[in-house]
Amino acid sequence: MALDFLFQVVHLVIIMAAQQDDVPSGQIGVMAAMFGVGGLLGALAAPRLHRRLRQRHSVLMVLWAMAVLAPVSLTVTNGLLLGLLLAGMAFFAPTANTAVSTYQLLTAPDRLRGRLSGIIGLVSGVSAALGPLAGGLTMERAGPRWTIVAAAAGTAVIAVVAPPQPDPGRLHPAPGRGRPRTGARRHAAGRSVSVLVGAVG
């Protein structure tokens, strides 16, 4: 998904830019740890946030968090403050992934849910892998500043043009679709943790 792709670009470039700005290695390690902690806390809060927020609002939160906080990182050279920015972006990612994955699973016929879940995981994994590659190549050619600006602009564009989707809680199962699974949100949040932990590792 575009969100996973851009998220990985921003994460990598902020870390690499910190290294270029001679941020101490210890602080860079703290940045990575804070990024992971933010994602884990976000995953724990994702089911509750998802119940209180509409799907569109859940996705818009992480998009606008990235669009605003990523450019702010260009004005910060302290590793701890950069870590807070990364944690803030990571906190909202599981809720967005939960909203999108839950909607996709709940609107799919029963016979296709397993296949759809596998495709979602594959696309998310490929996006998470291509993000650092694209971020590194773009950073090498354009520098960290323009790479972060481009990624932030991309998330802002997605936030503006993303079409609204029906609230999963108001969906009525169509023929061939079973009742919504209560574990769908937890499953999606757990996959978000895996992606975030893999990015930190």
Tab-separated table of all heavy atoms in Angstrom, residues 102-169:
chain	number	residue	atom	x	y	z
A	102	THR	N	-9.474	-4.098	7.979
A	102	THR	CA	-10.783	-4.539	8.459
A	102	THR	C	-11.846	-4.314	7.398
A	102	THR	O	-12.687	-5.189	7.145
A	102	THR	CB	-11.163	-3.791	9.744
A	102	THR	OG1	-10.187	-4.069	10.750
A	102	THR	CG2	-12.525	-4.231	10.250
A	103	TYR	N	-11.819	-3.156	6.757
A	103	TYR	CA	-12.799	-2.874	5.708
A	103	TYR	C	-12.678	-3.879	4.570
A	103	TYR	O	-13.678	-4.409	4.068
A	103	TYR	CB	-12.596	-1.453	5.187
A	103	TYR	CG	-13.442	-1.146	3.968
A	103	TYR	CD1	-14.799	-0.867	4.098
A	103	TYR	CD2	-12.887	-1.157	2.694
A	103	TYR	CE1	-15.577	-0.602	2.992
A	103	TYR	CE2	-13.662	-0.886	1.577
A	103	TYR	CZ	-15.005	-0.615	1.732
A	103	TYR	OH	-15.773	-0.360	0.646
A	104	GLN	N	-11.427	-4.162	4.158
A	104	GLN	CA	-11.229	-5.091	3.052
A	104	GLN	C	-11.690	-6.500	3.412
A	104	GLN	O	-12.308	-7.187	2.596
A	104	GLN	CB	-9.750	-5.093	2.644
A	104	GLN	CG	-9.310	-3.789	1.998
A	104	GLN	CD	-7.819	-3.701	1.800
A	104	GLN	OE1	-7.049	-4.306	2.544
A	104	GLN	NE2	-7.393	-2.961	0.797
A	105	LEU	N	-11.410	-6.933	4.633
A	105	LEU	CA	-11.794	-8.273	5.043
A	105	LEU	C	-13.305	-8.397	5.217
A	105	LEU	O	-13.903	-9.413	4.857
A	105	LEU	CB	-11.075	-8.649	6.343
A	105	LEU	CG	-9.570	-8.889	6.236
A	105	LEU	CD1	-8.968	-9.084	7.620
A	105	LEU	CD2	-9.271	-10.106	5.367
A	106	LEU	N	-13.935	-7.365	5.780
A	106	LEU	CA	-15.360	-7.448	6.053
A	106	LEU	C	-16.208	-7.321	4.800
A	106	LEU	O	-17.374	-7.735	4.794
A	106	LEU	CB	-15.770	-6.369	7.060
A	106	LEU	CG	-15.160	-6.481	8.460
A	106	LEU	CD1	-15.749	-5.422	9.378
A	106	LEU	CD2	-15.383	-7.868	9.043
A	107	THR	N	-15.670	-6.745	3.746
A	107	THR	CA	-16.443	-6.587	2.517
A	107	THR	C	-16.173	-7.703	1.519
A	107	THR	O	-16.769	-7.713	0.442
A	107	THR	CB	-16.126	-5.241	1.847
A	107	THR	OG1	-14.712	-5.127	1.646
A	107	THR	CG2	-16.611	-4.084	2.706
A	108	ALA	N	-15.290	-8.636	1.871
A	108	ALA	CA	-14.979	-9.742	0.967
A	108	ALA	C	-15.872	-10.936	1.270
A	108	ALA	O	-16.204	-11.198	2.428
A	108	ALA	CB	-13.510	-10.136	1.117
A	109	PRO	N	-16.270	-11.698	0.249
A	109	PRO	CA	-17.013	-12.940	0.492
A	109	PRO	C	-16.193	-13.905	1.337
A	109	PRO	O	-14.958	-13.877	1.324
A	109	PRO	CB	-17.238	-13.491	-0.921
A	109	PRO	CG	-17.101	-12.316	-1.835
A	109	PRO	CD	-16.094	-11.414	-1.178
A	110	ASP	N	-16.876	-14.770	2.067
A	110	ASP	CA	-16.191	-15.700	2.963
A	110	ASP	C	-15.118	-16.508	2.242
A	110	ASP	O	-14.019	-16.713	2.766
A	110	ASP	CB	-17.204	-16.657	3.601
A	110	ASP	CG	-18.058	-15.954	4.646
A	110	ASP	OD1	-17.650	-14.868	5.100
A	110	ASP	OD2	-19.123	-16.487	4.994
A	111	ARG	N	-15.416	-16.975	1.049
A	111	ARG	CA	-14.491	-17.874	0.352
A	111	ARG	C	-13.217	-17.160	-0.100
A	111	ARG	O	-12.237	-17.821	-0.455
A	111	ARG	CB	-15.188	-18.501	-0.858
A	111	ARG	CG	-15.546	-17.513	-1.946
A	111	ARG	CD	-16.274	-18.183	-3.117
A	111	ARG	NE	-16.522	-17.256	-4.204
A	111	ARG	CZ	-17.513	-16.394	-4.236
A	111	ARG	NH1	-18.378	-16.342	-3.223
A	111	ARG	NH2	-17.667	-15.589	-5.274
A	112	LEU	N	-13.244	-15.827	-0.114
A	112	LEU	CA	-12.093	-15.068	-0.602
A	112	LEU	C	-11.316	-14.387	0.515
A	112	LEU	O	-10.282	-13.773	0.250
A	112	LEU	CB	-12.549	-14.002	-1.604
A	112	LEU	CG	-13.200	-14.512	-2.892
A	112	LEU	CD1	-13.611	-13.336	-3.764
A	112	LEU	CD2	-12.252	-15.435	-3.645
A	113	ARG	N	-11.789	-14.503	1.750
A	113	ARG	CA	-11.140	-13.757	2.836
A	113	ARG	C	-9.707	-14.214	3.073
A	113	ARG	O	-8.805	-13.414	3.284
A	113	ARG	CB	-11.960	-13.886	4.117
A	113	ARG	CG	-13.158	-12.942	4.160
A	113	ARG	CD	-13.951	-13.101	5.423
A	113	ARG	NE	-15.043	-12.138	5.475
A	113	ARG	CZ	-16.028	-12.189	6.345
A	113	ARG	NH1	-16.067	-13.170	7.239
A	113	ARG	NH2	-16.980	-11.274	6.346
A	114	GLY	N	-9.486	-15.519	3.070
A	114	GLY	CA	-8.128	-16.006	3.285
A	114	GLY	C	-7.185	-15.554	2.195
A	114	GLY	O	-6.057	-15.119	2.466
A	115	ARG	N	-7.657	-15.640	0.938
A	115	ARG	CA	-6.829	-15.199	-0.179
A	115	ARG	C	-6.569	-13.704	-0.099
A	115	ARG	O	-5.442	-13.239	-0.338
A	115	ARG	CB	-7.523	-15.543	-1.498
A	115	ARG	CG	-6.683	-15.258	-2.743
A	115	ARG	CD	-7.445	-15.637	-3.994
A	115	ARG	NE	-7.855	-17.040	-3.964
A	115	ARG	CZ	-8.626	-17.601	-4.890
A	115	ARG	NH1	-9.078	-16.866	-5.902
A	115	ARG	NH2	-8.953	-18.879	-4.796
A	116	LEU	N	-7.598	-12.928	0.240
A	116	LEU	CA	-7.440	-11.483	0.353
A	116	LEU	C	-6.463	-11.121	1.458
A	116	LEU	O	-5.618	-10.235	1.295
A	116	LEU	CB	-8.789	-10.817	0.611
A	116	LEU	CG	-8.761	-9.292	0.806
A	116	LEU	CD1	-8.224	-8.603	-0.433
A	116	LEU	CD2	-10.155	-8.769	1.146
A	117	SER	N	-6.559	-11.821	2.597
A	117	SER	CA	-5.636	-11.548	3.696
A	117	SER	C	-4.198	-11.799	3.267
A	117	SER	O	-3.286	-11.032	3.609
A	117	SER	CB	-5.998	-12.426	4.896
A	117	SER	OG	-5.116	-12.191	5.972
A	118	GLY	N	-3.976	-12.871	2.507
A	118	GLY	CA	-2.630	-13.147	2.020
A	118	GLY	C	-2.131	-12.085	1.062
A	118	GLY	O	-0.958	-11.689	1.112
A	119	ILE	N	-3.023	-11.613	0.186
A	119	ILE	CA	-2.636	-10.583	-0.773
A	119	ILE	C	-2.300	-9.282	-0.049
A	119	ILE	O	-1.322	-8.603	-0.382
A	119	ILE	CB	-3.762	-10.357	-1.797
A	119	ILE	CG1	-3.926	-11.593	-2.678
A	119	ILE	CG2	-3.478	-9.128	-2.656
A	119	ILE	CD1	-5.111	-11.522	-3.622
A	120	ILE	N	-3.114	-8.947	0.960
A	120	ILE	CA	-2.846	-7.728	1.728
A	120	ILE	C	-1.478	-7.811	2.393
A	120	ILE	O	-0.689	-6.864	2.367
A	120	ILE	CB	-3.946	-7.507	2.785
A	120	ILE	CG1	-5.280	-7.192	2.117
A	120	ILE	CG2	-3.562	-6.361	3.735
A	120	ILE	CD1	-6.445	-7.136	3.076
A	121	GLY	N	-1.195	-8.974	3.008
A	121	GLY	CA	0.109	-9.140	3.647
A	121	GLY	C	1.244	-9.061	2.646
A	121	GLY	O	2.303	-8.473	2.929
A	122	LEU	N	1.055	-9.643	1.454
A	122	LEU	CA	2.093	-9.607	0.428
A	122	LEU	C	2.349	-8.188	-0.047
A	122	LEU	O	3.500	-7.744	-0.148
A	122	LEU	CB	1.685	-10.490	-0.751
A	122	LEU	CG	2.635	-10.472	-1.967
A	122	LEU	CD1	4.007	-11.007	-1.570
A	122	LEU	CD2	2.044	-11.291	-3.115
A	123	VAL	N	1.267	-7.455	-0.344
A	123	VAL	CA	1.411	-6.084	-0.824
A	123	VAL	C	2.071	-5.203	0.237
A	123	VAL	O	2.949	-4.384	-0.064
A	123	VAL	CB	0.041	-5.505	-1.230
A	123	VAL	CG1	0.150	-4.017	-1.550
A	123	VAL	CG2	-0.503	-6.262	-2.434
A	124	SER	N	1.669	-5.392	1.504
A	124	SER	CA	2.269	-4.605	2.583
A	124	SER	C	3.755	-4.914	2.722
A	124	SER	O	4.583	-4.016	2.912
A	124	SER	CB	1.553	-4.893	3.904
A	124	SER	OG	0.204	-4.476	3.852
A	125	GLY	N	4.099	-6.201	2.616
A	125	GLY	CA	5.501	-6.578	2.722
A	125	GLY	C	6.340	-6.031	1.585
A	125	GLY	O	7.459	-5.547	1.795
A	126	VAL	N	5.808	-6.105	0.362
A	126	VAL	CA	6.535	-5.574	-0.792
A	126	VAL	C	6.698	-4.058	-0.668
A	126	VAL	O	7.769	-3.505	-0.946
A	126	VAL	CB	5.801	-5.935	-2.103
A	126	VAL	CG1	6.419	-5.193	-3.289
A	126	VAL	CG2	5.856	-7.443	-2.335
A	127	SER	N	5.640	-3.384	-0.233
A	127	SER	CA	5.718	-1.928	-0.053
A	127	SER	C	6.749	-1.555	0.992
A	127	SER	O	7.522	-0.608	0.818
A	127	SER	CB	4.342	-1.380	0.344
A	127	SER	OG	3.378	-1.637	-0.643
A	128	ALA	N	6.772	-2.329	2.099
A	128	ALA	CA	7.736	-2.052	3.158
A	128	ALA	C	9.162	-2.296	2.695
A	128	ALA	O	10.108	-1.668	3.192
A	128	ALA	CB	7.425	-2.913	4.380
A	129	ALA	N	9.343	-3.222	1.728
A	129	ALA	CA	10.680	-3.498	1.206
A	129	ALA	C	11.107	-2.472	0.164
A	129	ALA	O	12.281	-2.068	0.118
A	129	ALA	CB	10.718	-4.904	0.611
A	130	LEU	N	10.172	-2.054	-0.678
A	130	LEU	CA	10.502	-1.096	-1.728
A	130	LEU	C	10.680	0.321	-1.193
A	130	LEU	O	11.405	1.123	-1.790
A	130	LEU	CB	9.416	-1.101	-2.803
A	130	LEU	CG	9.302	-2.370	-3.662
A	130	LEU	CD1	8.167	-2.231	-4.664
A	130	LEU	CD2	10.618	-2.653	-4.377
A	131	GLY	N	10.022	0.628	-0.069
A	131	GLY	CA	10.136	1.969	0.495
A	131	GLY	C	11.567	2.382	0.804
A	131	GLY	O	12.029	3.438	0.343
A	132	PRO	N	12.316	1.574	1.588
A	132	PRO	CA	13.701	1.944	1.863
A	132	PRO	C	14.562	2.021	0.604
A	132	PRO	O	15.444	2.880	0.502
A	132	PRO	CB	14.181	0.815	2.788
A	132	PRO	CG	12.941	0.303	3.433
A	132	PRO	CD	11.880	0.414	2.381
A	133	LEU	N	14.308	1.119	-0.360
A	133	LEU	CA	15.069	1.165	-1.614
A	133	LEU	C	14.829	2.472	-2.347
A	133	LEU	O	15.778	3.162	-2.750
A	133	LEU	CB	14.680	-0.024	-2.490
A	133	LEU	CG	15.308	-0.056	-3.896
A	133	LEU	CD1	16.824	-0.153	-3.796
A	133	LEU	CD2	14.734	-1.218	-4.705
A	134	ALA	N	13.564	2.832	-2.511
A	134	ALA	CA	13.246	4.079	-3.204
A	134	ALA	C	13.747	5.288	-2.418
A	134	ALA	O	14.261	6.252	-3.002
A	134	ALA	CB	11.734	4.183	-3.419
A	135	GLY	N	13.612	5.224	-1.087
A	135	GLY	CA	14.089	6.332	-0.269
A	135	GLY	C	15.587	6.525	-0.379
A	135	GLY	O	16.084	7.657	-0.483
A	136	GLY	N	16.326	5.420	-0.360
A	136	GLY	CA	17.782	5.511	-0.464
A	136	GLY	C	18.224	6.057	-1.810
A	136	GLY	O	19.126	6.908	-1.887
A	137	LEU	N	17.604	5.567	-2.898
A	137	LEU	CA	17.968	6.037	-4.226
A	137	LEU	C	17.615	7.508	-4.418
A	137	LEU	O	18.401	8.283	-4.982
A	137	LEU	CB	17.269	5.191	-5.287
A	137	LEU	CG	17.717	3.723	-5.380
A	137	LEU	CD1	16.861	2.974	-6.394
A	137	LEU	CD2	19.192	3.634	-5.752
A	138	THR	N	16.438	7.900	-3.946
A	138	THR	CA	16.024	9.304	-4.080
A	138	THR	C	16.912	10.213	-3.239
A	138	THR	O	17.290	11.306	-3.670
A	138	THR	CB	14.556	9.466	-3.657
A	138	THR	OG1	13.740	8.564	-4.395
A	138	THR	CG2	14.088	10.891	-3.899
A	139	MET	N	17.254	9.743	-2.044
A	139	MET	CA	18.110	10.535	-1.172
A	139	MET	C	19.495	10.717	-1.792
A	139	MET	O	20.105	11.786	-1.686
A	139	MET	CB	18.219	9.857	0.192
A	139	MET	CG	19.055	10.611	1.194
A	139	MET	SD	19.022	9.806	2.810
A	139	MET	CE	20.230	10.800	3.693
A	140	GLU	N	19.991	9.685	-2.460
A	140	GLU	CA	21.308	9.770	-3.094
A	140	GLU	C	21.315	10.798	-4.220
A	140	GLU	O	22.318	11.489	-4.439
A	140	GLU	CB	21.701	8.401	-3.639
A	140	GLU	CG	23.100	8.347	-4.239
A	140	GLU	CD	23.470	6.959	-4.710
A	140	GLU	OE1	22.623	6.050	-4.598
A	140	GLU	OE2	24.607	6.782	-5.193
A	141	ARG	N	20.193	10.913	-4.929
A	141	ARG	CA	20.135	11.825	-6.068
A	141	ARG	C	19.688	13.235	-5.681
A	141	ARG	O	20.205	14.215	-6.203
A	141	ARG	CB	19.188	11.265	-7.135
A	141	ARG	CG	19.684	9.986	-7.783
A	141	ARG	CD	18.687	9.450	-8.784
A	141	ARG	NE	19.186	8.269	-9.464
A	141	ARG	CZ	19.909	8.295	-10.572
A	141	ARG	NH1	20.216	9.452	-11.121
A	141	ARG	NH2	20.333	7.179	-11.129
A	142	ALA	N	18.702	13.316	-4.781
A	142	ALA	CA	18.112	14.625	-4.471
A	142	ALA	C	18.463	15.140	-3.085
A	142	ALA	O	18.220	16.313	-2.791
A	142	ALA	CB	16.586	14.555	-4.618
A	143	GLY	N	19.018	14.282	-2.226
A	143	GLY	CA	19.336	14.692	-0.873
A	143	GLY	C	18.170	14.432	0.073
A	143	GLY	O	17.023	14.269	-0.360
A	144	PRO	N	18.461	14.390	1.387
A	144	PRO	CA	17.410	14.056	2.352
A	144	PRO	C	16.291	15.089	2.419
A	144	PRO	O	15.128	14.736	2.612
A	144	PRO	CB	18.168	13.971	3.683
A	144	PRO	CG	19.410	14.790	3.477
A	144	PRO	CD	19.764	14.607	2.037
A	145	ARG	N	16.626	16.368	2.267
A	145	ARG	CA	15.607	17.412	2.409
A	145	ARG	C	14.507	17.236	1.373
A	145	ARG	O	13.318	17.205	1.712
A	145	ARG	CB	16.261	18.790	2.292
A	145	ARG	CG	15.272	19.951	2.400
A	145	ARG	CD	16.013	21.278	2.376
A	145	ARG	NE	16.903	21.388	3.521
A	145	ARG	CZ	16.543	21.826	4.713
A	145	ARG	NH1	15.282	22.211	4.921
A	145	ARG	NH2	17.409	21.880	5.692
A	146	TRP	N	14.891	17.118	0.109
A	146	TRP	CA	13.877	17.018	-0.936
A	146	TRP	C	13.167	15.671	-0.916
A	146	TRP	O	12.004	15.568	-1.310
A	146	TRP	CB	14.512	17.270	-2.305
A	146	TRP	CG	14.856	18.714	-2.517
A	146	TRP	CD1	16.098	19.263	-2.576
A	146	TRP	CD2	13.937	19.793	-2.660
A	146	TRP	NE1	16.022	20.625	-2.742
A	146	TRP	CE2	14.707	20.973	-2.809
A	146	TRP	CE3	12.546	19.884	-2.688
A	146	TRP	CZ2	14.117	22.225	-2.970
A	146	TRP	CZ3	11.959	21.123	-2.852
A	146	TRP	CH2	12.731	22.270	-3.006
A	147	THR	N	13.864	14.646	-0.450
A	147	THR	CA	13.210	13.337	-0.340
A	147	THR	C	12.100	13.377	0.700
A	147	THR	O	10.991	12.866	0.479
A	147	THR	CB	14.233	12.256	0.039
A	147	THR	OG1	15.283	12.229	-0.943
A	147	THR	CG2	13.580	10.878	0.094
A	148	ILE	N	12.381	13.992	1.851
A	148	ILE	CA	11.364	14.102	2.894
A	148	ILE	C	10.221	14.998	2.442
A	148	ILE	O	9.041	14.697	2.671
A	148	ILE	CB	11.999	14.637	4.196
A	148	ILE	CG1	12.919	13.575	4.801
A	148	ILE	CG2	10.920	15.041	5.200
A	148	ILE	CD1	13.636	14.023	6.049
A	149	VAL	N	10.557	16.101	1.771
A	149	VAL	CA	9.509	16.997	1.266
A	149	VAL	C	8.617	16.271	0.264
A	149	VAL	O	7.383	16.392	0.288
A	149	VAL	CB	10.137	18.250	0.627
A	149	VAL	CG1	9.084	19.061	-0.130
A	149	VAL	CG2	10.790	19.121	1.694
A	150	ALA	N	9.228	15.477	-0.619
A	150	ALA	CA	8.453	14.751	-1.619
A	150	ALA	C	7.546	13.710	-0.958
A	150	ALA	O	6.378	13.552	-1.338
A	150	ALA	CB	9.394	14.072	-2.616
A	151	ALA	N	8.075	12.994	0.032
A	151	ALA	CA	7.267	11.985	0.724
A	151	ALA	C	6.119	12.640	1.490
A	151	ALA	O	4.985	12.140	1.487
A	151	ALA	CB	8.142	11.169	1.673
A	152	ALA	N	6.413	13.770	2.146
A	152	ALA	CA	5.355	14.484	2.870
A	152	ALA	C	4.295	14.998	1.912
A	152	ALA	O	3.088	14.930	2.199
A	152	ALA	CB	5.962	15.641	3.669
A	153	ALA	N	4.722	15.499	0.773
A	153	ALA	CA	3.761	15.982	-0.227
A	153	ALA	C	2.909	14.829	-0.749
A	153	ALA	O	1.698	14.984	-0.965
A	153	ALA	CB	4.495	16.666	-1.379
A	154	GLY	N	3.543	13.670	-0.933
A	154	GLY	CA	2.793	12.513	-1.401
A	154	GLY	C	1.709	12.084	-0.419
A	154	GLY	O	0.581	11.777	-0.822
A	155	THR	N	2.039	12.082	0.862
A	155	THR	CA	1.036	11.714	1.863
A	155	THR	C	-0.087	12.751	1.931
A	155	THR	O	-1.256	12.401	2.108
A	155	THR	CB	1.675	11.561	3.255
A	155	THR	OG1	2.333	12.787	3.615
A	155	THR	CG2	2.683	10.433	3.274
A	156	ALA	N	0.271	14.017	1.763
A	156	ALA	CA	-0.758	15.061	1.782
A	156	ALA	C	-1.705	14.915	0.592
A	156	ALA	O	-2.921	15.081	0.726
A	156	ALA	CB	-0.105	16.445	1.768
A	157	VAL	N	-1.153	14.590	-0.581
A	157	VAL	CA	-1.988	14.392	-1.762
A	157	VAL	C	-2.937	13.219	-1.554
A	157	VAL	O	-4.131	13.291	-1.872
A	157	VAL	CB	-1.111	14.158	-3.005
A	157	VAL	CG1	-1.958	13.692	-4.191
A	157	VAL	CG2	-0.369	15.440	-3.378
A	158	ILE	N	-2.427	12.117	-0.998
A	158	ILE	CA	-3.271	10.951	-0.741
A	158	ILE	C	-4.382	11.319	0.241
A	158	ILE	O	-5.534	10.906	0.088
A	158	ILE	CB	-2.430	9.788	-0.197
A	158	ILE	CG1	-1.447	9.306	-1.266
A	158	ILE	CG2	-3.322	8.636	0.249
A	158	ILE	CD1	-0.471	8.266	-0.766
A	159	ALA	N	-4.028	12.109	1.270
A	159	ALA	CA	-5.035	12.508	2.264
A	159	ALA	C	-6.146	13.332	1.641
A	159	ALA	O	-7.314	13.234	2.036
A	159	ALA	CB	-4.364	13.292	3.388
A	160	VAL	N	-5.792	14.150	0.651
A	160	VAL	CA	-6.788	15.031	0.038
A	160	VAL	C	-7.673	14.278	-0.950
A	160	VAL	O	-8.893	14.474	-0.991
A	160	VAL	CB	-6.091	16.214	-0.664
A	160	VAL	CG1	-7.093	17.017	-1.489
A	160	VAL	CG2	-5.420	17.113	0.363
A	161	VAL	N	-7.073	13.389	-1.739
A	161	VAL	CA	-7.827	12.751	-2.826
A	161	VAL	C	-8.409	11.405	-2.427
A	161	VAL	O	-9.204	10.838	-3.188
A	161	VAL	CB	-6.930	12.552	-4.067
A	161	VAL	CG1	-6.341	13.880	-4.513
A	161	VAL	CG2	-5.820	11.547	-3.804
A	162	ALA	N	-8.039	10.875	-1.241
A	162	ALA	CA	-8.545	9.558	-0.838
A	162	ALA	C	-10.064	9.588	-0.772
A	162	ALA	O	-10.643	10.420	-0.062
A	162	ALA	CB	-7.965	9.158	0.514
A	163	PRO	N	-10.740	8.687	-1.486
A	163	PRO	CA	-12.214	8.691	-1.468
A	163	PRO	C	-12.744	8.153	-0.159
A	163	PRO	O	-12.150	7.253	0.445
A	163	PRO	CB	-12.581	7.757	-2.631
A	163	PRO	CG	-11.425	6.824	-2.725
A	163	PRO	CD	-10.204	7.645	-2.358
A	164	PRO	N	-13.853	8.697	0.337
A	164	PRO	CA	-14.451	8.168	1.571
A	164	PRO	C	-14.997	6.767	1.347
A	164	PRO	O	-15.467	6.439	0.264
A	164	PRO	CB	-15.574	9.160	1.880
A	164	PRO	CG	-15.907	9.757	0.554
A	164	PRO	CD	-14.628	9.803	-0.227
A	165	GLN	N	-14.926	5.932	2.391
A	165	GLN	CA	-15.437	4.576	2.328
A	165	GLN	C	-16.510	4.415	3.396
A	165	GLN	O	-16.499	5.103	4.417
A	165	GLN	CB	-14.317	3.558	2.557
A	165	GLN	CG	-13.212	3.599	1.530
A	165	GLN	CD	-13.661	3.136	0.162
A	165	GLN	OE1	-14.711	2.501	0.053
A	165	GLN	NE2	-12.909	3.457	-0.867
A	166	PRO	N	-17.451	3.466	3.193
A	166	PRO	CA	-18.476	3.236	4.206
A	166	PRO	C	-17.867	2.799	5.520
A	166	PRO	O	-16.809	2.167	5.546
A	166	PRO	CB	-19.324	2.114	3.587
A	166	PRO	CG	-19.020	2.145	2.129
A	166	PRO	CD	-17.609	2.630	2.011
A	167	ASP	N	-18.511	3.149	6.611
A	167	ASP	CA	-18.089	2.718	7.934
A	167	ASP	C	-18.302	1.215	8.053
A	167	ASP	O	-19.409	0.729	7.843
A	167	ASP	CB	-18.924	3.441	8.994
A	167	ASP	CG	-18.440	3.137	10.407
A	167	ASP	OD1	-17.565	2.262	10.553
A	167	ASP	OD2	-18.946	3.781	11.342
A	168	PRO	N	-17.236	0.410	8.358
A	168	PRO	CA	-17.398	-1.030	8.456
A	168	PRO	C	-18.502	-1.428	9.423
A	168	PRO	O	-19.137	-2.460	9.251
A	168	PRO	CB	-16.017	-1.509	8.944
A	168	PRO	CG	-15.064	-0.469	8.482
A	168	PRO	CD	-15.841	0.823	8.574
A	169	GLY	N	-18.734	-0.637	10.467
A	169	GLY	CA	-19.756	-0.993	11.437
A	169	GLY	C	-21.157	-0.893	10.866
A	169	GLY	O	-22.108	-1.439	11.424
